Amino acid sequence: MTKFTSDRLLLFGATGDLSRRMLLPSLCALDAEGLLDPDIQIIGTARSEMDDQAFRNFARESLEQFLAPERRGGMATFLNRLFYQQLDANDPEGYKALAAKVGEPRQGLSIFLSTAPSLFEPTIRGLEQNGMAGPNVRIALEKPLGVDLESSKVINDAVASAFPEDRIFRIDHYLGKETVQNLIALRFANLMFEPLWNAAHIDHVQITVSETVGLESRVGYYDDSGALRDMVQNHMLQLLALVAMEPPVSYEATTVRDEKVKVLRSLRQIKAEETVTGQYRAGAINGEAVPGYDEELGKPSDTETFVAIKAHIDNWRWQGVPFYMRTGKRMPKRTTEVVVQFRDVPHSIFTGRGARTVPNRLVISLQPDENITLSLMAKMPGLDREGFGLRAIPLAISMPDAFAGPQRRIAYERLWLDLIEGDQTLFVRRDEVEAQWEWIDAIRATWEEHRIEPKTYTAGSWGPSAAIALAERDGVTWHE
């Protein structure tokens, strides 16, 4: 693999919502910290008709809305790095003008493809035919990468026809979050956890990704996708893989992703009784009335907005340890967390009132707050003639409080920087994507075979009662 640092960036979908909220603010923040090449040029392209100055005005409005004021230092300099070329991705002639606008990079070109999957194939063809797929070009692909294994292979084959795997960067933005990377540090930079990180000491693991929002601006995409494809197939399976993987030989792209793939390939096929789907009906979020899914969509739909799964990993480390996953829209609060529930002590030496031990629990919160909390048993202060009083107390680390610097980075900052530098560790390899889709497709086949349809739940609740029962029948309570 040729090593180079990109000094030119090409952003497809430059006027879209992702660009406005995340991509442009991330680049501006990196530039303000001196992390971009001083001569870097950023070319945006989309169907919208505008010139360079209009694109800079668009970017300025985006930065003022979505980037904290203290992180906009040097914004004028950043805006001067921006250029624009209108493009209809289905028009082969348009790529000639785009190539002329990009010009010849001094070191390398990084392309960020944030477009509909249907445009991937003509875009790749246009790039290749106009000299923008050479050995000094990398390409990043934003999801969705298909709707199932078959369509994913079609997209990946199209990209692979012009770019080798070592220059393809598939994005899962959760991997750019500081706390997700801290999960790797927590496991492999601290001796205390690894001896306990197995079925002998861990009772179960919970992964929750909940949202308070409904459809918002994603009506068309979400109704064709649903919670299983939108959240479980990518974000949640990546979190599961990081929790469950074996220690890699080094923190390097090939070794880390090799271990993740082993986990994904070890996932047991889900039975019908191990999954629950739901769809929210009208309710209230934070005291405000919200409509049901069908009302928001404007028509009846059987798309699931909630999924709960009891998963198993069939290998030596995790045999017999259930991984409970749930995700949904219109939940009581927005949160993403991983809960590692340890087993209880094999024998308690304490007796008397208040002497009951509670198993240790590790909670890794990704959003809205980035925290790590470990519950430990401690003696309650005071004198008690009837025994030794115990209580679980939290040992908590707030990541923003523990470290100086920006209080909360945008996940895409890390991903942009790694794309520019050519580090694939936090990007998803093709065999990972296909292993994820293979497992997801089997779940959907199970739903169809057993005619499993979404159960309704009230907006503002934690999903259908069947999801609570999924865990409770094993003696497990969802962490809330």
Side-chain angles (χ1 to χ4, degrees), residues 343-365:
R343 299 188 186 277
D344 203 353
V345 294
H347 170 70
S348 176
I349 65 173
F350 305 105
T351 59
R353 186 179 64 186
R356 186 174 69 90
T357 60
V358 177
N360 304 123
R361 172 182 282 175
L362 178 66
V363 180
I364 303 162
S365 300

Side-chain angles (χ1 to χ4, degrees), residues 47-60:
R47 289 177 63 95
S48 304
E49 289 276 3
M50 61 175 69
D51 58 16
D52 294 345
Q53 189 55 50
F55 182 51
R56 290 167 185 163
N57 294 339
F58 167 84
R60 179 184 292 105

Side-chain angles (χ1 to χ4, degrees), residues 247-322:
V249 174
S250 61
Y251 184 69
E252 184 267 335
T254 299
T255 56
V256 169
R257 298 191 294 181
D258 282 349
E259 298 303 335
K260 287 197 293 176
V261 168
K262 291 177 186 176
V263 171
L264 296 170
R265 288 176 176 165
S266 299
L267 283 166
R268 185 188 306 171
Q269 186 167 335
I270 295 296
K271 299 176 182 177
E273 62 269 20
E274 294 173 327
T275 177
V276 174
T277 72
Q279 184 185 100
Y280 63 85
R281 60 173 180 256
I285 302 287
N286 297 324
E288 294 187 9
V290 295
Y293 181 79
D294 285 353
E295 295 169 72
E296 281 191 72
L297 188 64
K299 62 180 181 179
S301 171
D302 60 359
T303 296
E304 79 285 355
T305 62
F306 175 94
V307 177
I309 295 171
K310 177 184 175 183
H312 291 275
I313 299 170
D314 287 331
N315 62 20
W316 278 32
R317 182 182 289 264
W318 296 110
Q319 192 63 38
V321 177

Side-chain angles (χ1 to χ4, degrees), residues 411-444:
Y412 285 93
E413 292 178 51
R414 174 80 268 167
L415 300 177
W416 266 123
L417 195 59
D418 286 354
L419 171 64
I420 290 167
E421 297 292 336
D423 184 349
Q424 292 181 304
T425 307
L426 297 177
F427 295 83
V428 185
R429 204 166 59 191
R430 176 170 182 164
D431 52 355
E432 287 181 78
V433 174
E434 294 184 354
Q436 291 171 178
W437 274 123
E438 188 173 350
W439 194 67
I440 293 298
D441 285 356
I443 294 175
R444 296 199 68 87

Side-chain angles (χ1 to χ4, degrees), residues 193-204 317-318 321 340-346 359-360:
F193 288 113
E194 183 55 27
L196 306 178
W197 210 262
N198 53 54
H201 300 97
I202 292 177
D203 181 78
H204 69 271
R317 182 182 289 264
W318 296 110
V321 177
V340 180
Q341 180 67 63
F342 291 92
R343 299 188 186 277
D344 203 353
V345 294
N360 304 123

